[in-house]
Amino acid sequence: MIDPMIFRQANLPDLGQISSCISISTLECGKSGNISISGTLTNLNAEEALINQNKIDEWIREVEERPGSAALIIQYIANRLSELASREEELAAQNIDLLNGRKVEEYESRIANLEYQLELLKRQLGGEVNLPTEMPAIKPPIETINLLVYNPLGLVMRGEMNQVEIASGQTIGRISDWESLGDMRPNVLITTSQEELLLLFDSGRTVTLPVSQLPLLSVESLDWQQASVHEPTVKEELAAIHPIAKMSLYETCIQVSRRGFVKKFKTSFLATHITEKYIGTGVKLPADKTCGLTFANKNDLFVMVSQEGYIFSMQADRLPVAIEEVIHLGITDHIVSAFITGNKPSLLLITQNGKAVHREVSWLEPASSFKTKGQALLSKERREAGTRLIGAAAVDEADWGVILHSDGTLTTYNLRELLAAGSVPAGNQNASILCFSGFHMPEIKG
Amino acid sequence: MGLHVGIDFGTSNSGVGIFHNNQVHVLPIDSKNIVPEVVKTILYITSDYKHFIGQEAVELYYKQNINRQRRFVKKWTGEIDYHGADMHYVRDVYVYVDELQPGRLMQFIKTALRSEKYVGTQVFDRFYSLSDIISTYLHALKQRAEGLLHEEISGVTLGRPVKFSQVPELDQKAQATLHQAALEAGFKQVDFELEPVAAALYYELSLSKPQIVLIFDFGGGTLDLTILRLGDPHLREVYASGGIGIAGSDFDRAIIQKRMLTHFGKGIVQHDPEILNLIHTIPDWAALPELSTPRARAELERAIQAKQAPVRLKALESMIFNDLAFSFYNMIESTKINLSDTGVTIARMKEKDLDIWELYTRKQFENDIQEHREQIQNVLMDTVYASGMEPDQIDAVVKTGGSSNIPTFTEMLNTIFGADKVKSSDVFNSVTAGLAIKAQQNS
């Protein structure tokens, strides 16, 4: 029988606050059934005690009336003490961090991140942000649509497009000196002049810069010789360029590799990585390379499209945190596009021979597991005939696109027309399509 | 001509029953509930005025509200005319409204019928009178029942406590409101039966010879007592009825008042009146959600900064502004229910900034509700004497309702009437089943 008087030995303080004022020295349960709880009380304000003598007396009365309750009471108190002991451990560890300055470093790092985000916002607004006082009416700088063409050698060209003059099917420019770079396949990105860019190298290194810092060239004749050079280090290639000014609006950043490996991490971590100029290679296989980033919120549908027409989709929340192969690609295949559908209703997938395949987002069958083969877009016959996807995007009918042909010409298209026609109108019959970038036309201000 | 069902519109739980083929069927009205024949008397109205009841309402409330964001906007609500001796001016009145609030949860709706002052509440841009709230709930119940029965329901026999209120005018008004709500819900024929009488009708099915029975119907909102003769439908006679507005929800409130307020800072330091007012609102389930205003937050933050029991006030802030009140009341109710089976339990809740651990014994609970127990014993004895009988003349005492399982009341009945006479009926469904029998007789 457990003696109810054992409770009188322990004048327990508020268990909710015990960790800061009591060190539990022993909790023994002998073979005889005698239990003793002893503690060292320090600095305890009796008024603060949630467990006071009255309560202990009440527990004793319960035990006197129903002796069967004693074992339960002891069990509950023991569980609580054990829980508080582990919390004590956590608090002690935090205290050590505080004392040796590690916490300070952590907060300094966070402050640096926040300052970086603030810097981005300032650039977006085109001036100083005066917080917390009332914001003066800053005249926003004129935002223009910018065309970026870049290649794995780190050459980046920027041209400005006149929003008013953009027309569907119009050749807006040509890249001269096209042949000199051999098979260094270029890429196209449409963005705005107020954006912040993240240059991602396949070594995991990153460089950030505002769009406006890139030298402005004439779109009509872009020349690699005049390109801004962000020279890769040895054995390194520029994998992708991403606009990041709006990254703080998203919870997650997803890094994608050419062989269908994916990892996700919090956008706040990306800010840390950016300050360290390194986000990791994002690959597991030696022959693999990172090919891009995308931002998502947890309920967004993430989509990856491979060159041979296999599509993987999954809710961003379910993607792996560690690098994992989420789509199992054939040996000759690789990822060409990764994006989220957002609130766009349609998918536009462009083939190298000018086919514009339109699918509703609802057509996608989100994968329930990793390493799946993916949803096939192209028939076996068309794949064997050499049809390959060169790009894809989630779009709506108000969106526009730019296509880079293999002869170096750049053409703009209204996607409404492209979706309706089902193919890219043939200009030069001999030129195949190299890459495609969709964009939303900003509203003309002023 | 549609079907006629019995509905027990309870304070905490409700149910729908029908008498068919000489059998009582209590409908599995809430498939998501652990006991599908019982549906929680909870209504959740979303900001687009969709209505949800029972477990579905609870789940949606949790999904949409816990730890959600808030955005308060100042909204003009009207103006007040000031008339002085030599002056008159008009002043605009504004309130802070959380424009991100996804819905309103309402529980203990039936308790509002007892109130003299409660007329209704504003739900977003619409005013719901008490009759609107009840009719919305009954309409949802009717739709679910029709879905299960695949037939239209035209009539209902609704249960009602022996006394909604001790004041006869209020009692009549409460029944009139309930009647009006049932009509608005789409029932063409509406009649009433006393809940303990309904429970008696169900008990009568098990009798082979006449008995004098005391029905001890003890639910979430009221205790209803009826002494009547059962066993022969032609010789049924009600000898006495009584009741009191004390039941499960009052015991929950007692636990909060006596055991929980310390966890939110009461008695730890001398608080300012504003903070004390916030703490004392905790036992009031209807008022607590209303505290989530910028002003209350500012008061709490100021006290926390001033180190006035900061951990406890942080807990209070978390409960108010993370919409944890509903979880808190559920935790208290579970603690109380646990004590029916065991001598000791833990009142435990761990959420953001809120960590309640309270070892609670049955003895403590009995002390906390001692005053209520005495009132209940007095009402019980008054009802027995009003019937003109002595306790030993009662053949059986039938317990029904969730609170009738509380051991101290079983002990009370055992002491007064003898343990062999005290019987337990189907705790949650006996009133519903009895109303179904009555509905068959009325149709």
Side-chain angles (χ1 to χ4, degrees), chain A residues 322-341:
Chain A
I323 305 166
E324 264 192 66
E325 186 181 18
V326 296
I327 180 169
H328 189 66
L329 299 174
I331 197 152
T332 54
D333 201 4
H334 67 87
I335 298 296
V336 291
S337 287
F339 52 90
I340 56 160
T341 55

mmCIF file of all heavy atoms in Angstrom, chain A residues 322-341:
data_model
loop_
_atom_site.group_PDB
_atom_site.id
_atom_site.type_symbol
_atom_site.label_atom_id
_atom_site.label_comp_id
_atom_site.label_asym_id
_atom_site.label_seq_id
_atom_site.Cartn_x
_atom_site.Cartn_y
_atom_site.Cartn_z
ATOM 1 N N ALA A 322 14.969 16.289 -48.542
ATOM 2 C CA ALA A 322 16.294 15.841 -48.991
ATOM 3 C C ALA A 322 16.239 15.605 -50.503
ATOM 4 O O ALA A 322 15.156 15.425 -51.053
ATOM 5 C CB ALA A 322 16.650 14.553 -48.286
ATOM 6 N N ILE A 323 17.404 15.618 -51.161
ATOM 7 C CA ILE A 323 17.420 15.434 -52.618
ATOM 8 C C ILE A 323 16.918 14.026 -52.947
ATOM 9 O O ILE A 323 17.473 13.036 -52.468
ATOM 10 C CB ILE A 323 18.861 15.606 -53.161
ATOM 11 C CG1 ILE A 323 19.424 16.950 -52.735
ATOM 12 C CG2 ILE A 323 18.904 15.441 -54.671
ATOM 13 C CD1 ILE A 323 20.922 17.066 -52.920
ATOM 14 N N GLU A 324 15.870 13.950 -53.742
ATOM 15 C CA GLU A 324 15.319 12.641 -54.101
ATOM 16 C C GLU A 324 14.878 12.635 -55.540
ATOM 17 O O GLU A 324 14.427 13.658 -56.072
ATOM 18 C CB GLU A 324 14.124 12.310 -53.204
ATOM 19 C CG GLU A 324 14.514 11.447 -52.034
ATOM 20 C CD GLU A 324 13.307 10.889 -51.307
ATOM 21 O OE1 GLU A 324 12.573 10.071 -51.902
ATOM 22 O OE2 GLU A 324 13.112 11.300 -50.151
ATOM 23 N N GLU A 325 14.964 11.459 -56.149
ATOM 24 C CA GLU A 325 14.536 11.304 -57.534
ATOM 25 C C GLU A 325 13.018 11.187 -57.532
ATOM 26 O O GLU A 325 12.478 10.187 -57.060
ATOM 27 C CB GLU A 325 15.169 10.038 -58.115
ATOM 28 C CG GLU A 325 14.903 9.843 -59.586
ATOM 29 C CD GLU A 325 15.529 8.550 -60.094
ATOM 30 O OE1 GLU A 325 15.850 7.669 -59.286
ATOM 31 O OE2 GLU A 325 15.691 8.448 -61.322
ATOM 32 N N VAL A 326 12.331 12.183 -58.037
ATOM 33 C CA VAL A 326 10.867 12.128 -57.983
ATOM 34 C C VAL A 326 10.274 11.596 -59.287
ATOM 35 O O VAL A 326 9.181 11.064 -59.314
ATOM 36 C CB VAL A 326 10.246 13.505 -57.629
ATOM 37 C CG1 VAL A 326 10.642 13.939 -56.241
ATOM 38 C CG2 VAL A 326 10.594 14.556 -58.643
ATOM 39 N N ILE A 327 11.022 11.747 -60.397
ATOM 40 C CA ILE A 327 10.569 11.152 -61.661
ATOM 41 C C ILE A 327 11.744 10.343 -62.212
ATOM 42 O O ILE A 327 12.898 10.794 -62.189
ATOM 43 C CB ILE A 327 10.070 12.230 -62.661
ATOM 44 C CG1 ILE A 327 9.611 11.578 -63.965
ATOM 45 C CG2 ILE A 327 11.106 13.299 -62.937
ATOM 46 C CD1 ILE A 327 8.868 12.518 -64.910
ATOM 47 N N HIS A 328 11.428 9.144 -62.655
ATOM 48 C CA HIS A 328 12.489 8.274 -63.169
ATOM 49 C C HIS A 328 12.535 8.433 -64.689
ATOM 50 O O HIS A 328 11.647 7.976 -65.405
ATOM 51 C CB HIS A 328 12.196 6.830 -62.781
ATOM 52 C CG HIS A 328 13.332 5.911 -63.077
ATOM 53 N ND1 HIS A 328 14.544 6.004 -62.426
ATOM 54 C CD2 HIS A 328 13.455 4.913 -63.974
ATOM 55 C CE1 HIS A 328 15.346 5.086 -62.909
ATOM 56 N NE2 HIS A 328 14.725 4.411 -63.857
ATOM 57 N N LEU A 329 13.582 9.100 -65.162
ATOM 58 C CA LEU A 329 13.671 9.408 -66.595
ATOM 59 C C LEU A 329 14.488 8.355 -67.328
ATOM 60 O O LEU A 329 15.369 7.706 -66.747
ATOM 61 C CB LEU A 329 14.331 10.781 -66.775
ATOM 62 C CG LEU A 329 13.601 11.970 -66.161
ATOM 63 C CD1 LEU A 329 14.444 13.235 -66.296
ATOM 64 C CD2 LEU A 329 12.241 12.192 -66.821
ATOM 65 N N GLY A 330 14.207 8.230 -68.638
ATOM 66 C CA GLY A 330 15.012 7.361 -69.483
ATOM 67 C C GLY A 330 16.429 7.921 -69.578
ATOM 68 O O GLY A 330 16.673 9.104 -69.275
ATOM 69 N N ILE A 331 17.339 7.072 -70.054
ATOM 70 C CA ILE A 331 18.762 7.452 -70.009
ATOM 71 C C ILE A 331 19.078 8.661 -70.883
ATOM 72 O O ILE A 331 19.994 9.432 -70.609
ATOM 73 C CB ILE A 331 19.619 6.219 -70.371
ATOM 74 C CG1 ILE A 331 21.065 6.451 -69.925
ATOM 75 C CG2 ILE A 331 19.560 5.869 -71.849
ATOM 76 C CD1 ILE A 331 21.788 5.185 -69.615
ATOM 77 N N THR A 332 18.263 8.873 -71.953
ATOM 78 C CA THR A 332 18.534 9.989 -72.857
ATOM 79 C C THR A 332 17.709 11.230 -72.524
ATOM 80 O O THR A 332 17.815 12.257 -73.199
ATOM 81 C CB THR A 332 18.200 9.577 -74.306
ATOM 82 O OG1 THR A 332 16.845 9.091 -74.317
ATOM 83 C CG2 THR A 332 19.132 8.494 -74.803
ATOM 84 N N ASP A 333 16.894 11.124 -71.512
ATOM 85 C CA ASP A 333 15.917 12.194 -71.232
ATOM 86 C C ASP A 333 16.463 13.152 -70.164
ATOM 87 O O ASP A 333 17.337 12.800 -69.373
ATOM 88 C CB ASP A 333 14.615 11.553 -70.739
ATOM 89 C CG ASP A 333 13.420 12.466 -70.910
ATOM 90 O OD1 ASP A 333 13.606 13.562 -71.476
ATOM 91 O OD2 ASP A 333 12.307 12.087 -70.491
ATOM 92 N N HIS A 334 15.915 14.365 -70.114
ATOM 93 C CA HIS A 334 16.231 15.287 -69.024
ATOM 94 C C HIS A 334 15.108 16.311 -68.868
ATOM 95 O O HIS A 334 14.272 16.478 -69.768
ATOM 96 C CB HIS A 334 17.589 15.972 -69.258
ATOM 97 C CG HIS A 334 17.606 16.907 -70.433
ATOM 98 N ND1 HIS A 334 17.236 18.217 -70.345
ATOM 99 C CD2 HIS A 334 17.948 16.697 -71.736
ATOM 100 C CE1 HIS A 334 17.340 18.786 -71.544
ATOM 101 N NE2 HIS A 334 17.769 17.885 -72.400
ATOM 102 N N ILE A 335 15.119 16.997 -67.738
ATOM 103 C CA ILE A 335 14.064 17.980 -67.439
ATOM 104 C C ILE A 335 14.327 19.265 -68.237
ATOM 105 O O ILE A 335 15.461 19.741 -68.294
ATOM 106 C CB ILE A 335 14.037 18.298 -65.931
ATOM 107 C CG1 ILE A 335 13.719 17.036 -65.109
ATOM 108 C CG2 ILE A 335 13.059 19.422 -65.599
ATOM 109 C CD1 ILE A 335 12.351 16.440 -65.347
ATOM 110 N N VAL A 336 13.252 19.806 -68.839
ATOM 111 C CA VAL A 336 13.412 21.074 -69.554
ATOM 112 C C VAL A 336 12.687 22.237 -68.866
ATOM 113 O O VAL A 336 13.062 23.396 -69.071
ATOM 114 C CB VAL A 336 12.930 20.971 -71.024
ATOM 115 C CG1 VAL A 336 13.859 20.093 -71.830
ATOM 116 C CG2 VAL A 336 11.490 20.487 -71.113
ATOM 117 N N SER A 337 11.654 21.916 -68.100
ATOM 118 C CA SER A 337 10.921 22.995 -67.423
ATOM 119 C C SER A 337 10.416 22.530 -66.070
ATOM 120 O O SER A 337 10.023 21.366 -65.927
ATOM 121 C CB SER A 337 9.701 23.439 -68.240
ATOM 122 O OG SER A 337 10.091 24.154 -69.356
ATOM 123 N N ALA A 338 10.402 23.435 -65.113
ATOM 124 C CA ALA A 338 9.800 23.161 -63.796
ATOM 125 C C ALA A 338 9.108 24.443 -63.361
ATOM 126 O O ALA A 338 9.682 25.529 -63.459
ATOM 127 C CB ALA A 338 10.865 22.765 -62.794
ATOM 128 N N PHE A 339 7.879 24.315 -62.918
ATOM 129 C CA PHE A 339 7.107 25.514 -62.564
ATOM 130 C C PHE A 339 5.931 25.104 -61.675
ATOM 131 O O PHE A 339 5.682 23.912 -61.482
ATOM 132 C CB PHE A 339 6.578 26.204 -63.841
ATOM 133 C CG PHE A 339 5.838 25.282 -64.767
ATOM 134 C CD1 PHE A 339 4.476 25.094 -64.652
ATOM 135 C CD2 PHE A 339 6.518 24.576 -65.766
ATOM 136 C CE1 PHE A 339 3.793 24.234 -65.498
ATOM 137 C CE2 PHE A 339 5.854 23.722 -66.613
ATOM 138 C CZ PHE A 339 4.482 23.549 -66.484
ATOM 139 N N ILE A 340 5.242 26.108 -61.125
ATOM 140 C CA ILE A 340 3.993 25.803 -60.410
ATOM 141 C C ILE A 340 2.832 26.309 -61.252
ATOM 142 O O ILE A 340 2.989 27.255 -62.039
ATOM 143 C CB ILE A 340 3.954 26.422 -59.004
ATOM 144 C CG1 ILE A 340 4.174 27.932 -59.062
ATOM 145 C CG2 ILE A 340 4.922 25.754 -58.079
ATOM 146 C CD1 ILE A 340 3.691 28.652 -57.841
ATOM 147 N N THR A 341 1.684 25.673 -61.095
ATOM 148 C CA THR A 341 0.547 26.078 -61.930
ATOM 149 C C THR A 341 -0.089 27.372 -61.411
ATOM 150 O O THR A 341 -0.682 28.108 -62.187
ATOM 151 C CB THR A 341 -0.525 24.973 -61.973
ATOM 152 O OG1 THR A 341 -0.881 24.670 -60.634
ATOM 153 C CG2 THR A 341 -0.017 23.743 -62.685
#
